[in-house]
Amino acid sequence: MKTIATRIGVILAMILLGIFLFISGKEHAVFIENKGEKYTPKNAYYILDGKKEVKIKKKKKKREYVKGVNHTIEVRFKDADGIEKKVVKEFKTKMGKKITINAAMIENDSWMKIEELKSKK
Amino acid sequence: MENKGKKFLINNIVPIVILIMIVMAAPISGLSGGYLVQEMISRLSRNSFLVLSLIIPVVAGMGLNFGIVLGAMAGQLGLIFITDWRIVGMEGIMLAVLISLPIAVLLGILGGYILNKAKGREMITSIIMGFFINGVYQLIVLYGMGNIIPMTNKKIILSRGYGIRNAIDLKNIRQVLDKSMVVKVGEFTIPLLTILIIGGLCLFIVWFRKTKLGQDMRAIGQDMEIAKSAGIAVEKTRVLSIVISTVLASIGQIIFLQNIGTMNTYNSHEQIGMFSIAAILIGGATAAKASIPNALGGIILFHLMFVISPRAGKELVGSAQIGEFFRVFISYGVIALALVLHQWRREQENKAERKRMMEIQLSGGEK
């Protein structure tokens, strides 16, 4: 009886560890665009999860890959008055969801767009 | 003194012959010492886990387990799944190991039972078993994946909609283990984490040999009948030795492929048994006795041959293609040479034993 319980315990622990690894190691695509409603900076710069700074030109869109659930994005750009701004935001990724971050609207509430991921047939 | 030297020579004939070949070929190849040392560090970290997985079945008297191919297949299945699910980094490697573990255990149990039915012919049986399971693996990967087992990553699926592509790019986990902890010693780069994992396996083998199960395996390896009469569950213990070997081989294959960075879906596992066994034999192991120094020393010697011989061949003959033939010639030739030398060594030992027995009988008679 004790042996069976131990074996079941080991199997359950392995399944739980597997689920944890699946969630924390899953790669997600995140889209970053530089396209504001009223104002779009000429160039915006972003740092995703503390990695290398990337430049994104006006009205352009870039695809980045991130690992796991919790992420941070740091965006740097010049606003309409020519003042340098630096904004840091946190966001979460979910399976089956497409995330688009708008660097130009990073200060607004609608800085992130979450959509259902369409499967290609 | 002369006897001692002769005994040492007979016991280490395989590594000595290979070492002589290396010493002769090294200057011809024109490769620098620094390059060779760096190559050996890289290849030692890449192959050690697989070669070390061969030790436990030898202790249990099962001979050299050509069935590690089964474990390699389990490891590859784990890698296919994590690539399909897009699990990256260290988590990817750990999940691949986790997925391959139950598959390797099942294949190990199957292998162990089959080898129990073929006592005394374990080596050839495990080769054929590897071929058989390879067929099953190919059927699953070529037809089942995408058809029965759902696959979502278009990059790894064949254009017809099912079956896995011939080569899978493991860029998501490429050298994750090797690059996560790196130490620079002079001009050399040492993948510390991989070396630590291999060191952990060496400690496990040393510890395992001292446990009750390890002692039982050794007793079975020495004499199965005596072990049976001593109350040891011979068949169960033999199965366990194969299960451990298969599980270690599955992890070893994952370590091996993360270092390479690409997986040849239908061929990567096929050569593993041959190459690992060639390496351990070159290190001075036999079908009845293998140790950690045999495994590690064997990898160094085998890969030195592997690196040096194509270049030496090219320099000697002047054709780059000849170098590639040299690789094949070396890998298979070395297994044949090691087995022939092993047989010769056994004959020498038997001859010495007969001589000793005769001397004892004669001296007893004189009394």
Side-chain angles (χ1 to χ4, degrees), chain B residues 62-67 69-70 111 114-115 117-132 274 277 287 339:
Chain B
M62 311 274 286
L64 296 155
N65 180 21
F66 283 87
V69 177
L70 273 62
I114 292 172
L115 295 183
K117 301 283 174 204
K119 282 192 195 100
R121 296 176 298 277
E122 283 93 350
M123 286 213 278
I124 185 69
T125 311
S126 60
I127 293 175
I128 301 302
M129 197 170 61
F131 289 150
F132 161 63
M274 285 288 180
I277 283 160
L339 289 172

Side-chain angles (χ1 to χ4, degrees), chain B residues 82-217:
Chain B
I82 62 140
T83 312
D84 179 49
W85 297 334
R86 293 183 178 90
I87 313 297
V88 300
M90 196 63 86
E91 287 90 345
I93 291 199
M94 284 169 74
L95 190 59
V97 169
L98 217 59
I99 295 164
S100 69
L101 279 183
I103 305 169
V105 169
L106 285 174
L107 289 174
I109 292 170
L110 175 78
Y113 276 112
I114 292 172
L115 295 183
N116 270 343
K117 301 283 174 204
K119 282 192 195 100
R121 296 176 298 277
E122 283 93 350
M123 286 213 278
I124 185 69
T125 311
S126 60
I127 293 175
I128 301 302
M129 197 170 61
F131 289 150
F132 161 63
I133 300 293
N134 183 32
V136 179
Y137 168 87
Q138 305 235 354
L139 184 73
I140 293 168
V141 176
L142 202 57
Y143 181 75
M145 289 193 163
N147 247 342
I148 302 158
I149 305 161
M151 291 276 142
T152 51
N153 193 342
K154 295 269 185 293
K155 282 181 187 166
I156 65 165
I157 292 279
L158 288 167
S159 54
R160 67 179 179 203
Y162 62 90
I164 303 295
R165 281 185 196 277
N166 196 32
I168 296 178
D169 187 3
L170 299 173
K171 63 171 191 248
N172 292 341
I173 55 153
R174 181 177 292 140
Q175 298 194 338
V176 164
L177 276 180
D178 298 336
K179 284 184 177 165
S180 56
M181 262 169 88
V182 176
V183 176
K184 281 242 172 205
V185 181
E187 57 178 313
F188 307 118
T189 314
I190 301 166
L192 194 63
L193 185 62
T194 321
I195 303 274
L196 283 175
I197 291 169
I198 292 159
L201 177 61
C202 291
L203 286 176
F204 168 77
I205 291 170
V206 170
W207 167 81
F208 182 79
R209 280 176 160 177
K210 288 175 186 164
T211 60
K212 162 110 184 23
L213 188 61
Q215 293 294 331
D216 286 356
M217 280 184 190

